[in-house]
Amino acid sequence: MSKAISYIRFSSVGQAKGSSTDRQRMLINEWFEEHPEFERSNISAEDLGKSAYKGDHLNHGFGQILSAIESGKIRKGDHILVEAFDRVGRLPPLEMVSLIQRMVSSGVILVTLEDGKEYGSESLNDDVGSLFILVGKIHQAHEYSNRLSKRITASYERKRRAAKSGQKIKLVSPFWLDTNGQLKEEEAEAVRKVIDLYLRGYGTRRIVLE
């Protein structure tokens, strides 16, 4: 029986983390209900807060999946489940094509749950339309993150120029500081506890529960 490996990634600060991961898990559960011929693999990965634009996720959860493919733990016919293609990465197009090639050359199938598409070596070689769609998604994902990065950089540069000229600028203070930059003791204690748990080796989910 072929296995399916779930991969959940969340990195956008502007979204509600809980709703994003819950949505991805729901899509994964629905896929398994529709594909009873697959069993869940004991290999899975989550990348919370790891950038797919800078490639940080390749050194964490998604990198673990790649290593499992290359070591043979994830085998031909196994499926990798992701919400959408941009969850795999938003690297420059040539780097993304190379990344996908590393995945599918061993016979592994990439499934994007939002549209039900499957990408494997046979389908991409035999159906040029699927290959064009894939390249289009790669380019779209990278361009979106590229434009967003440029907007953020330009925004900070405007604030720096305004500050140098003596203008007041709006700053978003962390929740453990008040408007005067002083510690809010109760919130600060919560942050200290989070840091302590992290240094003691607790995972993200365990820290949230604590």
Side-chain angles (χ1 to χ4, degrees):
M1 178 181 288
S2 295
K3 297 181 179 181
I5 298 88
S6 61
Y7 173 64
I8 294 176
R9 190 185 70 80
F10 178 87
S11 64
S12 176
V13 176
Q15 300 177 29
K17 296 182 182 179
S19 63
S20 175
T21 53
D22 288 346
R23 182 182 67 250
Q24 292 177 65
R25 291 193 180 98
M26 180 185 69
L27 289 171
I28 289 169
N29 290 335
E30 289 176 352
W31 189 90
F32 276 107
E33 290 176 1
E34 296 170 1
H35 298 81
E37 69 274 20
F38 284 84
E39 65 174 313
R40 289 180 185 264
S41 171
N42 58 5
I43 301 172
S44 63
E46 295 186 7
D47 278 321
L48 306 184
K50 305 301 179 185
S51 172
Y53 176 60
K54 298 179 181 178
D56 295 342
H57 66 316
L58 299 181
N59 297 319
H60 296 84
F62 197 75
Q64 295 169 9
I65 288 180
L66 289 176
S67 295
I69 292 174
E70 293 170 351
S71 67
K73 293 179 180 178
I74 298 176
R75 302 176 181 179
K76 181 178 180 180
D78 289 345
H79 286 41
I80 308 294
L81 310 180
V82 298
E83 179 186 19
F85 185 79
D86 62 1
R87 302 287 176 176
V88 179
R90 296 179 178 181
L91 298 168
L94 283 178
E95 293 182 42
M96 282 304 304
V97 169
S98 176
L99 179 62
I100 297 302
Q101 193 274 335
R102 286 174 61 188
M103 295 180 63
V104 303
S105 62
S106 61
V108 172
I109 309 296
L110 175 67
V111 181
T112 51
L113 299 173
E114 68 168 7
D115 56 10
K117 296 289 185 181
E118 296 187 2
Y119 301 96
S121 58
E122 290 186 9
S123 63
L124 292 174
N125 281 325
D126 297 342
D127 183 0
V128 68
S130 294
L131 183 59
F132 284 148
I133 290 173
L134 178 62
V135 172
K137 287 184 176 181
I138 288 172
H139 183 266
Q140 183 181 37
H142 177 68
E143 280 301 301
Y144 171 81
S145 289
N146 192 34
R147 289 194 302 270
L148 181 61
S149 176
K150 288 179 179 178
R151 287 201 300 268
I152 293 173
T153 300
S155 174
Y156 278 114
E157 182 58 33
R158 286 194 298 270
K159 288 181 178 180
R160 280 194 291 267
R161 289 198 300 266
K164 286 182 178 179
S165 66
Q167 300 178 40
K168 290 185 177 181
I169 59 174
K170 293 183 179 180
L171 295 175
V172 179
S173 298
F175 71 89
W176 59 87
L177 297 179
D178 61 25
T179 54
N180 296 317
Q182 301 299 311
L183 280 176
K184 295 157 66 176
E185 191 52 43
E186 184 175 353
E187 288 82 352
E189 182 57 33
V191 174
R192 293 188 192 100
K193 185 174 182 180
V194 168
I195 294 172
D196 177 62
L197 291 173
Y198 177 78
L199 293 176
R200 287 161 55 191
Y202 282 55
T204 304
R205 187 175 302 172
R206 180 72 182 277
I207 291 174
V208 171
L209 291 174
E210 287 289 331

